[in-house]
Amino acid sequence: MSIQIAGLSKKIGKQLVLNNISFDIGAGEIVGFLGPNGAGKTTTMRILTGSLAYEIGSVRICGLEVKENRTQTNALIGYLPENNPLYPEMYVREYLDFIAGIYGIKSERKALIEEMIERVGLSPEVHKKIKQLSKGYKQRVGLAQALLPDPKVLILDEPTTGLDPNQLEEIRTLIKGAGQDKTVMLSTHILQEVKALCNRVIIINKGEIAADTKLVMGESEDMALEEMFKTITN
């Protein structure tokens, strides 16, 4: 399994944000992590990436316990955080070179960066500073930095928030392409987004797993999922 979470609980202050959640995600799956705002999606993703500590439960990336192997598990993950923090004064190519340096990429570094620029469709804007880019192109830069180390696991937190319809379709295509050879977990609060991208959905609500189902469904199962999500979010 690429991602394994067992009995994970997390308090932030006095609030129980995650309450004994468990799920596994296998290699090659594109899984939508769905839930209303404040459900625990971002907290779970931050724990998976090692940026938030946990004490109760087990969290494994490709068989390695995260809290005991942060360096090794970080090397296996590509992460696009919510709000996509970037360095606005850097040029696109300069920023990706900086990220490659953080990952310790040395061999064929320039060629890899150029390949990634082409892969995510940044070529028309590569001469610009990041602050000059549209929201859609900034998301492409974010995906490029997440994909640069060729991770086994790709974790995307609200990757399409704020995009217009054209940008939305382009980013979805990029994510689907990445899912051909990687495990992808993406969070969203939009059910239609999951249907467009994913082959499985995990719904979290108030820090607990409310549903976990494959998305190879007929009309009746599809309607049942919609009704479940409406009940949770209303």
Side-chain angles (χ1 to χ4, degrees):
M1 288 291 174
S2 298
I3 295 173
Q4 295 170 286
I5 291 180
L8 176 64
S9 295
K10 177 65 181 178
K11 278 188 174 182
I12 297 179
K14 294 183 178 180
Q15 182 181 359
L16 183 63
V17 181
L18 299 175
N19 184 17
N20 192 33
I21 68 169
S22 300
F23 60 83
D24 298 338
I25 300 177
E29 288 191 273
I30 303 180
V31 176
F33 195 40
L34 188 65
N37 290 333
K41 302 187 301 295
T42 294
T43 297
T44 303
M45 290 185 153
R46 289 179 63 198
I47 287 173
L48 282 167
T49 60
S51 61
L52 184 64
Y54 61 99
E55 294 77 35
I56 301 173
S58 175
V59 180
R60 293 178 178 269
I61 300 292
C62 299
L64 297 173
E65 186 71 36
V66 171
K67 64 184 173 184
E68 297 169 0
N69 303 277
R70 282 188 59 185
T71 300
Q72 295 95 318
T73 57
N74 282 350
L76 297 169
I77 295 172
Y79 180 39
L80 177 59
E82 188 179 14
N83 301 321
N84 190 12
L86 299 168
Y87 289 100
E89 293 298 329
M90 281 187 168
Y91 290 94
V92 171
R93 190 178 280 112
E94 177 188 17
Y95 174 73
L96 293 179
D97 185 65
F98 169 70
I99 294 297
I102 291 175
Y103 281 116
I105 298 170
K106 296 178 182 178
S107 178
E108 304 294 333
R109 181 158 152 178
K110 288 185 178 181
L112 178 63
I113 290 169
E114 295 307 313
E115 178 185 339
M116 189 57 61
I117 287 169
E118 181 67 25
R119 179 178 175 183
V120 304
L122 278 168
S123 298
E125 305 291 295
V126 74
H127 62 286
K128 292 183 179 179
K129 288 186 176 182
I130 289 172
K131 69 179 181 180
Q132 298 172 304
L133 301 178
S134 68
K135 171 80 173 183
Y137 274 105
K138 286 177 181 176
Q139 289 298 86
R140 290 173 191 253
V141 174
L143 280 172
Q145 66 83 21
L147 290 166
L148 202 57
D150 193 24
K152 293 184 180 297
V153 176
L154 193 60
I155 296 178
L156 311 173
D157 194 357
E158 303 279 1
T160 61
T161 298
L163 301 183
D164 65 35
N166 289 335
Q167 295 169 338
L168 187 66
E169 189 58 38
E170 290 166 353
I171 297 300
R172 284 177 178 173
T173 300
L174 289 173
I175 293 170
K176 283 184 178 179
Q180 292 178 5
D181 62 355
K182 303 182 188 305
T183 299
V184 180
M185 180 180 180
L186 66 95
S187 77
T188 179
H189 59 278
I190 305 170
L191 185 57
Q192 295 303 321
E193 179 86 342
V194 172
K195 291 181 182 180
L197 282 169
C198 303
N199 47 41
R200 177 179 164 200
V201 59
I202 297 172
I203 298 178
I204 187 170
N205 185 48
K206 298 178 181 177
E208 298 182 353
I209 301 301
D212 184 346
T213 183
K214 297 285 186 180
L215 283 180
V216 183
M217 303 184 300
E219 185 176 349
S220 61
E221 290 87 355
D222 191 56
M223 290 176 64
L225 183 62
E226 288 193 13
E227 286 303 313
M228 178 186 296
F229 189 63
K230 285 179 183 177
T231 300
I232 287 170
T233 53
N234 287 339

